[in-house]
Structure formats: structure tokens, C-alpha cells
Amino acid sequence: MGNKGLQKFGLAAGIALILVWCLLPVVWIISLSFKSSASITNGSPGFFPRDFAGWENYQAVWDNEQFRRAIFNSIGISLIATVLSVILATLAAYAIARLEFRGKKLVLSVALAIAMFPVVSLVGPLFDMWRAVGLYDTWLGLIIPYMSFTLPLAIWTLSAFFREIPWELEQAAQVDGATSWQAFRKVIVPLAAPGVFTAAILTFFFAWNDFVFGISLTSTEAARPIPASLSFFVGSDPFNRPVSLIAAGAVIATIPIVIIVLLFQRKIVAGLTSGAVKG
């Protein structure tokens, strides 16, 4: 086997190892979702369920009013947080990219530091604050923390895209009679669409997958999102958690993310890579 053969073999082996490492938890949880509660209690080994429950677990989870309410909460909270974060981040990033002022690099550095701040360190203060002002166990009480972490990251991401857009394009649009707002909305924003889409995806993923805020800042199903709601699933026996139902709920909660990635994977890759040349 020559050098090229060894390289191809090594590449194939590496890809196979990465796929197994990444897909093993997914395959395992899907296998659990099709097992009956009795088989899990008895310790049924292996990926393939011996006591196949079919779609009964999925039907039972979907018929659960608590689960449907959690799905509704996650969709509403994630979409609102995404739209608000993208709008504010687009305007702020454009101003940072186009205007020259003292401390601009400091603003971007602070924004990135806030985005990387440990989430768990804010749970205690937010819990006391939200209970005092009446935001505990509400949609707004989760939207604000989500935006606090995703907005700085979105500003950092979008500012790199806006810096790549030539200033002359906006000036040409204004020469043709467009106002500053029209030039920004019809010329600049479409050119920065990959960055805007990337910011929206990052915000939506953060809001949809959050567990810490969701379980700490809610006490009822009024605003509890799906990751936190799954931890409250209990069966008839409090000492034996319905693992198969929880696995089925986790699979259902993952489906929207999988659909988004499959439909928009090209735009996601373009958004994550096109801003990496300059900035």
C-alpha cells in the first residue's frame, strides 16, 4: 500500500471514528425510546430492544399535556429571543463596524467576555431579582437572560461581516437617492445575510437547548421549556424513572434542531466561515 493508500485509509478511519463517537449517544437514546419500561427496569442490554414498544412511548409523551406545553414554551421563547437579538445585534454591529469612536475594541472584547461568562454564576442573583420584580416563572424572565448571552456573541459575529462590506456600496446607494436607512436595509443587510443567519441560529440553539435557566427561573409549566420539563417526568413509581418516555421526549425535542440543520446546513457553513478571513 502506497502513501496515498495509507492517507486514504487513515482519513477513512478517522472519519469513521468521529462518526461513531458523535452518533453513539444519538443511537443509544433512540434505542431507549423504543424499549418498554419493563425491559429497561430489567436491564435489557444492547442497542436493539428485545421488548420492542413501537411508537407507544412517543404517543404517550405527545399525549402528555405537560410535554406539549413545554414544546409551546420553547418555541415561543426561542423565536422571540432570536428575533429581538438579531434585530438589536444587526443595528449595534453595523454602528460598531462603520463608526469610529474610542473604546470600540474594548466594547467588542467586553461583549465577547459576557458571551463566555458562566451561566450558572448568574442563577442565584437572577432568581432573587426576578422574584422581586415579578418576572419569575414568565416568558420574559427567560428571554432576557437568553438575550444577555446571545446578543454580545451576535454583535461580535455580525461586526466582522459588516467590516467586510465595502463602504462604497452604501455611498453609491445614497448617491442614487436612497436614504441611510434604505441603503442599510436594502444593500447592507442582504450582503450580510450569512452573518445574520448565523447569529439567528446561534441564538435559537442557545435558547432551545438551555437547561440551567429553564429549571432555575421557573416553577410551573407556565414558562418551563422542554429541556427542563423533561427532568420532571415521573412515572407511577418515583424510584423508577420512565427512562423510555424521557428518551422519546428527548428525541422529539431534538427533531426541530435536526430539521433546521438539514434544511439550512449550507447557509450555516457559509455564515460560520465567510467572516473568518478579515476582522
Side-chain angles (χ1 to χ4, degrees):
M1 184 181 293
N3 292 332
K4 291 185 178 181
L6 290 175
Q7 291 178 356
K8 291 182 179 180
F9 176 78
L11 179 61
I15 293 176
L17 181 62
I18 293 174
L19 288 176
V20 171
W21 178 267
C22 294
L23 296 179
L24 182 61
V26 178
V27 175
W28 188 270
I29 197 171
I30 293 176
S31 173
L32 287 177
S33 68
F34 285 106
K35 291 182 178 181
S36 65
S37 300
S39 64
I40 295 178
T41 303
N42 296 331
S44 175
F47 288 106
F48 302 101
R50 295 181 180 178
D51 189 2
F52 189 73
W55 298 99
E56 294 178 3
N57 293 328
Y58 289 91
Q59 185 65 40
V61 169
W62 188 253
D63 290 340
N64 189 304
E65 185 178 354
Q66 172 187 344
F67 181 82
R68 294 200 304 268
R69 176 65 188 184
I71 287 287
F72 176 75
N73 290 336
S74 289
I75 292 175
I77 293 171
S78 300
L79 288 178
I80 294 174
T82 299
V83 171
L84 293 178
S85 293
V86 169
I87 292 175
L88 295 177
T90 301
L91 298 174
Y94 176 76
I96 292 175
R98 288 294 188 235
L99 301 179
E100 293 295 335
F101 56 90
R102 289 184 177 180
K104 184 167 68 172
K105 292 184 178 180
L106 179 62
V107 171
L108 291 175
S109 300
V110 171
L112 187 61
I114 294 174
M116 301 301 173
F117 202 77
V119 174
V120 69
S121 62
L122 298 179
V123 170
L126 280 177
F127 178 83
D128 292 333
M129 188 185 303
W130 273 196
R131 288 179 63 89
V133 300
L135 291 179
Y136 182 76
D137 200 22
T138 63
W139 279 24
L140 187 60
L142 291 176
I143 292 172
I144 294 176
Y146 292 165
M147 292 182 60
S148 299
F149 281 89
T150 58
L151 188 57
L153 183 60
I155 292 174
W156 176 276
T157 303
L158 286 172
S159 61
F161 284 90
F162 285 126
R163 284 197 299 267
E164 290 183 356
I165 299 175
W167 178 251
E168 291 78 10
L169 295 177
E170 184 176 356
Q171 292 177 331
Q174 293 176 350
V175 169
D176 291 337
T179 63
S180 298
W181 170 249
Q182 289 175 335
F184 169 75
R185 182 169 56 90
K186 296 182 179 181
V187 177
I188 303 302
V189 172
L191 292 175
V196 175
F197 192 87
T198 301
I201 289 295
L202 293 176
T203 303
F204 186 84
F205 282 6
F206 179 89
W208 185 270
N209 296 325
D210 171 71
F211 176 80
V212 177
F213 285 137
I215 201 171
S216 303
L217 302 181
T218 61
S219 59
T220 66
E221 300 304 319
R224 184 175 291 150
I226 187 61
S229 182
L230 288 176
S231 66
F232 287 90
F233 272 25
V234 293
S236 57
D237 185 359
F239 297 100
N240 292 320
R241 300 296 297 274
V243 178
S244 57
L245 296 181
I246 295 176
V251 172
I252 295 176
T254 309
I255 289 176
I257 301 297
V258 174
I259 293 175
I260 291 176
V261 172
L262 291 178
L263 291 178
F264 304 106
Q265 56 181 334
R266 292 185 179 180
K267 292 184 178 180
I268 295 174
V269 173
L272 292 174
T273 56
S274 60
V277 179
K278 298 181 180 180

